[in-house]
Amino acid sequence: MKPKVYLTLPVPEEVRKYIAEHCEISQWEEEGPIPREVLFQKIADVDGLFTSGGKIDAELLEHGPNLKVVSNMSVGYNNFDLKAMKQRSVIGTNTPYVLDETVADLAFALILATARRITELDGFIKDRKWEPTKDDEMFYGLDVHRSTIGIIGMGRIGEAIAQRARFGFNMDVLYYNRSRKPDAEKKFGTEYSDLESLLKRSDFVVLMTPLTPETHHLIGENEFKLMKKSAIFINVSRGQTVDEKALIQALQNKEIYGAGLDVFQKEPIEKDNPLLDMTNVVTVPHIGSATLKTRDAMAMRAAENLVAVVTGMEPIDQVPYAK
């Protein structure tokens, strides 16, 4: 008999066919995310779970006694309770590598849009406010080329951002990481920096760390006060890596110039969040990997990880258990 797997989201037909060659599939077909209580029922007799989020904790694992693997269609896995998974010998997998360049593209899109006030001025024109004037200073933004970028978290995506910055925009590239990256320094001409110095020197601060207990609210009130008043803050990591109240305060007090945000403390963002009323903040709805080509590649990678474990093989991308 084929192992049973459950999919909490739709996948491309090619991916579904691949899984079906090896597994018996059941899937959530309704609109919106699957309710947690329904998921408890659906995983009662399955060997593998394919998902893109949602808390995987001891409570859920109790309802899936046969689970061997939870395959996340995401590079992040902060939704995994790794200690609980280890106790039940449930393997967690993710989908690194395939989305690196796409997320780096978005990071630079946010840099350019915020620096040159693209969304603000697009709204200005579409609101029919553009009139003849001799004073065009009201449209001025900031230069990106030959400025200084500070990247916090020099993983694969950080390196892809550094490549674009150094060779595409001739920027000076600083980086802060828990360990130095001599290869990246040589390859991209980056300079290793402590966090305080990076924040003080950078025109653009890009946060690219994973969410861990150590990085929760890594950037807060003190960090924003260290930045230049002309600095732009970019976050394409996780919303909880930033103290959002401190960010709002820094923007309101003009301690920094602006921000470009793909992630937020609460998602979807609350409708009364002050960030939504700030013209110097560019917001997008957590779309770091959201292109058709990349999402299809992520789905196939997650499927390969899923199938590997339920058929008794090693997955490509097993995440490390918590110590």
Side-chain angles (χ1 to χ4, degrees):
M1 294 179 62
K2 290 182 177 180
K4 296 180 179 180
V5 298
Y6 190 78
L7 283 57
T8 67
L9 68 158
V11 296
E13 187 59 29
E14 180 184 4
V15 175
R16 186 179 178 87
K17 286 181 179 178
Y18 171 77
I19 298 173
E21 290 176 7
H22 306 276
C23 307
E24 179 183 328
I25 298 175
S26 52
Q27 181 178 332
W28 175 246
E29 302 283 359
E30 306 297 327
E31 289 290 329
I34 183 170
R36 189 168 167 86
E37 294 74 17
V38 175
L39 182 57
F40 288 167
Q41 300 172 18
K42 298 295 186 180
I43 64 172
D45 64 344
V46 303
D47 302 285
L49 176 62
F50 182 112
T51 186
S52 63
K55 188 180 295 184
I56 307 300
D57 56 11
E59 182 186 25
L60 181 139
L61 297 175
E62 287 178 3
H63 290 83
N66 298 336
L67 272 177
K68 298 180 177 67
V69 60
V70 178
S71 180
N72 240 21
M73 200 185 92
S74 167
V75 68
Y77 51 89
N78 51 287
N79 58 315
F80 287 174
D81 182 337
L82 292 170
K83 290 183 178 179
M85 294 173 72
K86 183 178 181 180
Q87 288 174 353
R88 290 183 171 269
S89 299
V90 176
I91 292 173
T93 66
N94 64 338
T95 57
Y97 310 110
V98 293
L99 53 79
D100 297 349
E101 299 293 336
T102 303
V103 176
D105 283 350
L106 179 68
F108 248 92
L110 289 171
I111 288 170
L112 291 164
T114 310
R116 298 304 302 271
R117 302 167 56 197
I118 299 299
T119 57
E120 177 190 355
L121 296 178
D122 173 71
F124 181 86
I125 289 182
K126 289 178 179 175
D127 288 341
R128 279 72 175 175
K129 294 180 179 179
W130 192 16
E131 301 289 347
T133 177
K134 293 181 179 180
D135 179 15
D136 63 354
E137 287 189 16
M138 62 186 297
F139 305 136
Y140 285 6
L142 301 178
D143 281 330
V144 176
H145 67 280
R146 296 191 180 90
S147 60
T148 298
I149 186 172
I151 302 170
I152 304 172
M154 186 59 83
R156 295 177 303 274
I157 300 173
E159 290 187 8
I161 294 170
Q163 181 182 36
R164 286 159 174 73
R166 187 71 185 90
F167 301 120
F169 291 85
N170 198 24
M171 300 172 81
D172 292 327
V173 183
L174 309 176
Y175 79 95
Y176 170 75
N177 201 57
R178 60 186 176 184
S179 59
R180 290 191 67 162
K181 296 291 188 73
D183 289 345
E185 293 174 19
K186 183 177 180 180
K187 188 174 182 180
F188 306 120
T190 59
E191 177 186 340
Y192 181 76
S193 171
D194 62 81
L195 182 58
E196 180 176 339
S197 178
L198 180 148
L199 294 171
K200 289 180 176 179
R201 295 171 58 190
S202 298
D203 299 301
F204 299 89
V205 175
V206 182
L207 186 57
M208 280 309 317
T209 60
L211 178 60
T212 67
E214 293 75 27
T215 63
H216 182 265
H217 284 192
L218 176 65
I219 305 299
E221 182 179 356
N222 292 335
E223 286 71 30
F224 287 118
K225 288 184 182 300
L226 290 171
M227 295 182 197
K228 298 178 180 180
K229 290 187 180 299
S230 59
I232 287 176
F233 175 71
I234 304 293
N235 191 8
V236 284
S237 60
R238 287 292 185 269
Q240 294 79 11
T241 56
V242 178
D243 181 342
E244 196 167 274
K245 290 182 179 179
L247 170 60
I248 291 169
Q249 185 177 29
L251 289 161
Q252 290 174 334
N253 295 340
K254 301 188 184 304
E255 293 171 1
I256 60 174
Y257 180 88
L261 308 171
D262 182 42
V263 291
F264 305 89
Q265 188 78 34
K266 184 177 180 180
E267 297 180 0
I269 189 171
E270 295 172 316
K271 292 179 172 54
D272 61 350
N273 192 310
L275 292 169
L276 301 181
D277 297 317
M278 297 180 181
T279 57
N280 59 337
V281 177
V282 177
T283 55
V284 290
H286 204 151
I287 59 166
S289 63
T291 69
L292 180 61
K293 182 178 180 180
T294 295
R295 287 289 174 86
D296 283 358
M298 290 171 66
M300 182 57 78
R301 185 79 167 223
E304 291 168 351
N305 286 324
L306 179 79
V307 168
V309 177
V310 298
T311 57
M313 297 183 291
E314 293 290 325
I316 308 167
D317 309 297
Q318 181 172 343
V319 302
Y321 284 126
K323 294 181 180 179

